[in-house]
Amino acid sequence: MRALWLALAAAALPAQQKLPPVRGFPPELLAQQRQLEDKARAIPDGGRARAYMKKMAAVPHHAGSPGSKAVAEYALGLFKQWGFDARIEEFEALLPFPTARVVEMTAPVQFRAKLSEPVMAEDPDSGDAGQLPLYNAYSASGDVSGPLLYVNYGIPADYARLEQMGIAAKGKIVIARYGKSWRGTKAKTAYEQGALACIIYSDPRDDGFWQGDVFPEGPFRPSASAQRGSVMDMPLYVGDPLSPGWASVKGSRRIDRAEAATLMKIPVLPLSYADAQPLLERLGGPVAPEDWRGALPVTYHVGPGDAVVRVKTDFDWTSKPVYNVVATLTGSTQPEEWVIYGNHHDAWVNGAADPVSGAVALLETARAAAELHRTGWRPRRTLKFALWDAEEFGLIGSTEWAEQHAVELASKTVAYLNSDMNTHGGLSTGGSPLLEEFLRQVMRDVRDPSTAETLLAVREKDRKLRVSPPGAGSDYVAFLHHLGIPVLNLGFNAPGSQGTYHSIYDSYAWFTKHMDRDFRYSRGFAQLMATAVLRLSEAVILPHDLSSLHRSLAAYAEELKKAHPKLNLSPVTARIDDLKDRSRQFAEAYEQALPKAAGSPQLRALNQKLTATERMLTRAAGLPGRPWYKHQIYAPGMYTGYSAHTFPGMREAADQGRMTEAREQIQVLADTLRSFNEHADQVITLLNQI
Ligand SMILES: [Zn+2]
């Protein structure tokens, strides 16, 4: 069947037509690949994406709910209908649901926070049954009272400033605003500072009317809406808190809840700005520094004052089933090389944007592959499309799956592509530098959904395309940080996309009024991902590249030198200089090998070596104090969470003044880079043998 397809494809295009090169494809295969991609990009359809969203965002579908299981089964049915070998892979995870939630002021006046988001006539889903109430998952159970303190964003620097004012958090209930850092690190920092409980609220300056019109008029957060979310200590490890490092299949070993290091040790609850205002009004003490003030009509004081606040939380601490949907199209010539693309399917509530907008584009990408398959085409490599469960609680479905299949995944996966929210606007581009040049070419050849220009042209009006270092924002974490698989994390997102983030108003009504009204960004994203998937699956030589890695490492070293001028980084910078030579040799050898590669007896070994390249940046022992994180170049910052720290081993030691450890970590990194360079030499040798 393949031969027939190729003959048709070749016939459709004049052979002499000049096409820009595509990384990994020799000239004689270029026209055929272009035909395949054109055909694939014509398949995704906005109307279908809309229909999937209507269905998947129709009812609340948080992990552990009947809605989540129904969404998984719906997607499974689609994949099967399209001809995939699809199945649900089930795990179990500790998913605490709240049974008690109180935030109240008991003195000098009585006030009780509503902790609920009202039904809105303009949004029929806002009244759906089965909504998970406002809470922070993995908060401790507790009932505490104390004076209230405003801690700005609740990052360590804010507590240092309070200390300068002579104010300590010990014995107090702190109220922090969302923003600047991941919510889990706000709760952890509050605990480490001795706070009794942590309230996290959405200030309208960062997340509400200061940004623009609020829902229903605009996309931004209305006054009584708040942000649910996990406060798991994700920088330590992700996935089920009771099975760190191994898969939580039914009957597998679990640690005791008391031993689970990623659970918060104090009560944490989120508040809306309507609920927060009466509390902030009662704060005494000094007026807050100017950059600490939000947009509420009150004079922001730091506190404490005469306000006494009580926070009470309790949870149903049971483990619940988690349903991943995995659909496979087996490769024809290299079935043992896998291209995986995933997006989560669980939401906090209805989740039209987060995660359904990303999931519907994934479905249309998968359908494009399936349609091509129906015409007789088969991918060279194996394609896997995955919809993960329990991402919101702590990247659980993807992590348990990655732990379950760790050995196979690490040796077979050529790349993991991830998406999450996909609303409208510009393309955000996170990922491994090894895939940056690959991504640049994909963006060069795919059109922006709203202009006639290519995605690359649109992007490079502002700034040069660079992939940003991956932190802990979505399901790529286990693949990159734990297994050492190169990843890309992509999505269209514009200001306002987070306006109803993790609230009941992230709904079909909100999405179709204020985000991707005609689903052109769903279609456009599926076109982008179909192009990426087909290049990864069909490339004769894998498109991984060393030059952006070299440039990135050199930039990280510069950054570190600026932050810590006294550290002697020369053992590391010498290895980075070695890599510079190799990246040049690699580029030349790649160019030379490409026209001869198809059919070469060394090709399989070469692609296997390329697949293992990112893994050479990991160490089995992991990072100091967090062995689950194996990657030596990136990790989620211990106190930033979402955003990545580069060279995390030495960076964090140096930032926290542990200079002996920092020096040891410089040596560890230098050793890692030395073996990476040896690996690069082997790749170059193989290229030269082609
Ligand atoms: Zn999400």
Side-chain angles (χ1 to χ4, degrees):
M1 290 298 263
R2 185 179 175 86
L4 174 66
W5 162 259
L6 297 187
L8 286 172
L13 199 86
Q16 59 270 54
Q17 190 170 326
K18 188 93 178 114
L19 293 161
V22 174
R23 212 176 154 72
F25 293 87
E28 74 274 13
L29 292 181
L30 211 52
Q32 168 197 321
Q33 174 69 14
R34 293 277 184 182
Q35 289 280 311
L36 181 70
E37 292 176 10
D38 285 346
K39 206 162 178 180
R41 282 192 293 268
I43 295 167
D45 171 51
R48 283 181 185 255
R50 178 192 292 273
Y52 310 145
M53 179 178 284
K54 234 179 182 158
K55 187 92 183 167
M56 294 169 81
V59 296
H61 55 109
H62 51 274
S65 73
S68 172
K69 188 172 189 221
V71 165
E73 282 167 351
Y74 169 69
L76 178 72
L78 291 175
F79 283 128
K80 282 188 167 167
Q81 182 192 320
W82 297 334
F84 284 95
D85 170 15
R87 64 196 64 193
I88 287 180
E89 293 195 42
E90 190 177 329
F91 297 91
E92 280 179 348
L94 180 67
L95 302 177
F97 294 169
T99 54
R101 303 170 304 129
V102 177
V103 172
E104 64 180 351
M105 183 156 45
T106 52
V109 291
Q110 292 285 326
F111 163 75
R112 195 167 172 134
K114 287 201 180 67
L115 293 169
S116 81
E117 301 176 293
V119 176
M120 211 180 264
E122 295 84 347
D123 184 352
D125 281 316
S126 61
D128 284 354
Q131 295 168 345
L132 207 46
L134 287 172
Y135 82 115
N136 290 121
Y138 306 111
S139 149
S141 295
D143 188 351
V144 293
S145 288
L148 187 68
L149 193 64
Y150 175 59
V151 297
N152 193 29
Y153 292 108
I155 58 178
D158 294 326
Y159 289 94
R161 196 135 169 206
L162 283 169
E163 207 182 303
Q164 287 164 10
M165 297 181 221
I167 299 168
K170 196 170 164 50
K172 303 194 177 66
I173 290 175
V174 300
I175 180 165
R177 53 173 161 161
Y178 269 110
K180 286 263 157 78
S181 75
W182 184 59
R183 74 181 86 72
T185 63
K186 296 174 194 285
K188 176 167 68 171
T189 308
Y191 164 72
E192 288 174 357
Q193 295 287 333
L196 300 174
C198 182
I199 299 166
I200 313 175
Y201 82 104
S202 297
D203 194 285
R205 183 162 203 127
D206 312 276
D207 186 10
F209 63 74
W210 188 268
Q211 301 284 328
D213 287 326
V214 302
F215 189 56
E217 289 73 31
F220 291 97
R221 192 178 302 278
S223 65
S225 171
Q227 190 192 122
R228 290 159 190 74
S230 172
V231 291
M232 175 191 279
D233 195 358
M234 297 213 296
L236 281 184
Y237 62 88
V238 296
D240 177 29
L242 305 185
S243 65
W246 65 90
S248 61
V249 291
K250 231 186 178 87
S252 72
R253 184 166 71 90
R254 303 299 151 82
I255 58 172
D256 208 67
R257 186 150 63 85
E259 295 163 37
T262 54
L263 302 182
M264 272 307 135
K265 306 197 174 47
I266 53 173
V268 189
L269 276 172
L271 279 194
S272 67
Y273 49 97
D275 269 343
Q277 187 170 333
L279 299 177
L280 295 171
E281 271 168 359
R282 297 304 307 196
L283 283 169
V287 170
E290 198 169 329
D291 56 336
W292 284 35
R293 299 172 203 163
L296 286 169
V298 303
T299 302
Y300 284 71
H301 287 258
V302 169
D306 50 4
V308 178
V309 168
R310 174 179 177 224
V311 176
K312 182 183 175 196
T313 50
D314 205 0
F315 303 91
D316 151 25
W317 288 102
T318 55
S319 285
K320 301 173 179 75
V322 165
Y323 305 100
N324 293 326
V325 189
V326 182
T328 303
L329 198 56
T330 303
S332 57
T333 58
Q334 290 116 286
E336 74 295 343
E337 295 171 9
W338 296 357
V339 178
I340 310 178
Y341 168 19
N343 191 105
H344 68 103
H345 70 72
D346 66 303
W348 276 118
V349 195
N350 295 61
D354 182 9
V356 174
S357 61
V360 300
L362 179 144
L363 287 170
E364 274 304 88
T365 310
R367 192 175 65 84
E371 289 286 325
L372 294 176
H373 189 240
R374 266 224 289 263
T375 67
W377 169 80
R378 276 187 72 192
R380 287 171 186 273
R381 300 190 171 85
T382 293
L383 307 184
K384 284 185 182 284
F385 295 93
L387 288 171
W388 312 117
D389 200 355
E391 186 267 0
E392 295 294 0
F393 279 82
L395 318 179
I396 291 175
S398 58
T399 300
E400 299 309 319
W401 191 79
E403 288 172 343
Q404 167 86 338
H405 303 288
V407 175
E408 201 174 14
L409 285 170
S411 63
K412 292 184 174 173
T413 314
V414 304
Y416 172 71
L417 307 177
N418 190 72
S419 61
D420 199 321
M421 285 171 62
N422 177 62
T423 55
H424 66 140
L427 187 72
S428 58
T429 53
S432 307
L434 285 179
L435 296 176
E436 187 177 278
E437 185 53 31
F438 164 76
L439 178 64
R440 176 190 312 281
Q441 292 192 351
V442 172
M443 288 171 69
R444 178 197 68 193
D445 297 336
V446 178
R447 301 212 169 278
D448 180 85
S450 284
T451 70
E453 295 167 292
T454 70
L455 286 170
L456 188 66
V458 170
R459 166 60 173 265
E460 296 208 324
K461 273 179 201 160
D462 288 352
R463 60 196 194 284
K464 214 158 171 44
L465 173 70
R466 293 281 182 253
V467 292
S468 44
S474 191
D475 286 307
Y476 53 80
V477 168
F479 296 93
L480 178 71
H481 295 300
H482 189 59
L483 298 180
I485 292 165
V487 304
L488 287 174
N489 182 46
L490 306 171
F492 288 109
N493 283 298
S497 295
Q498 304 251 333
T500 59
Y501 182 62
H502 292 184
S503 81
I504 64 171
Y505 311 114
D506 179 1
S507 61
Y508 183 79
W510 172 82
F511 189 86
T512 50
K513 185 164 186 209
H514 297 297
M515 296 290 124
D516 190 11
R517 273 172 233 154
D518 54 6
F519 287 81
R520 68 173 69 176
Y521 284 88
S522 298
R523 176 168 171 266
F525 194 66
Q527 292 174 328
L528 172 78
M529 297 309 269
T531 309
V533 164
L534 292 180
R535 287 192 184 175
L536 286 166
S537 80
E538 304 310 294
V540 174
I541 305 181
L542 287 171
H544 305 48
D545 177 39
L546 296 181
S547 56
S548 2
L549 178 68
H550 166 260
R551 201 194 41 247
S552 302
L553 294 179
Y556 306 153
E558 276 306 309
E559 242 168 66
L560 195 67
K561 250 189 249 168
K562 266 188 208 131
H564 298 284
K566 282 188 193 140
L567 270 185
N568 175 17
L569 288 183
S570 58
V572 167
T573 50
R575 300 290 82 79
I576 296 175
D577 290 342
D578 294 346
L579 178 58
K580 186 175 190 172
D581 302 332
R582 282 168 178 84
S583 72
R584 215 176 295 128
Q585 293 163 16
F586 174 83
E588 279 164 28
Y590 194 100
E591 198 84 344
Q592 300 263 315
L594 194 55
K596 303 175 278 176
S600 162
Q602 299 288 28
L603 184 60
R604 185 159 302 227
L606 170 64
N607 281 328
Q608 269 170 7
K609 275 274 177 235
L610 282 168
T611 297
T613 305
E614 182 89 39
R615 201 157 76 241
M616 297 309 294
L617 298 169
T618 65
R619 271 182 90 238
L623 292 171
R626 40 178 175 161
W628 190 88
Y629 282 94
K630 313 285 185 201
H631 210 293
Q632 299 298 303
I633 309 301
Y634 307 107
M638 286 296 270
Y639 291 92
T640 57
Y642 276 144
S643 59
H645 264 180
T646 52
F647 301 160
M650 63 174 156
R651 178 76 206 226
E652 274 171 358
D655 282 357
Q656 287 156 41
R658 302 191 303 266
M659 298 324 267
T660 310
E661 185 187 318
R663 280 187 290 274
E664 283 165 15
Q665 286 298 310
I666 288 176
Q667 208 43 60
V668 168
L669 183 58
D671 291 345
T672 305
L673 292 177
R674 178 176 296 113
S675 34
F676 183 88
N677 285 337
E678 285 165 14
H679 181 85
D681 285 337
Q682 293 164 14
V683 174
I684 294 163
T685 304
L686 281 167
L687 282 168
N688 287 332
Q689 287 169 0
I690 292 253

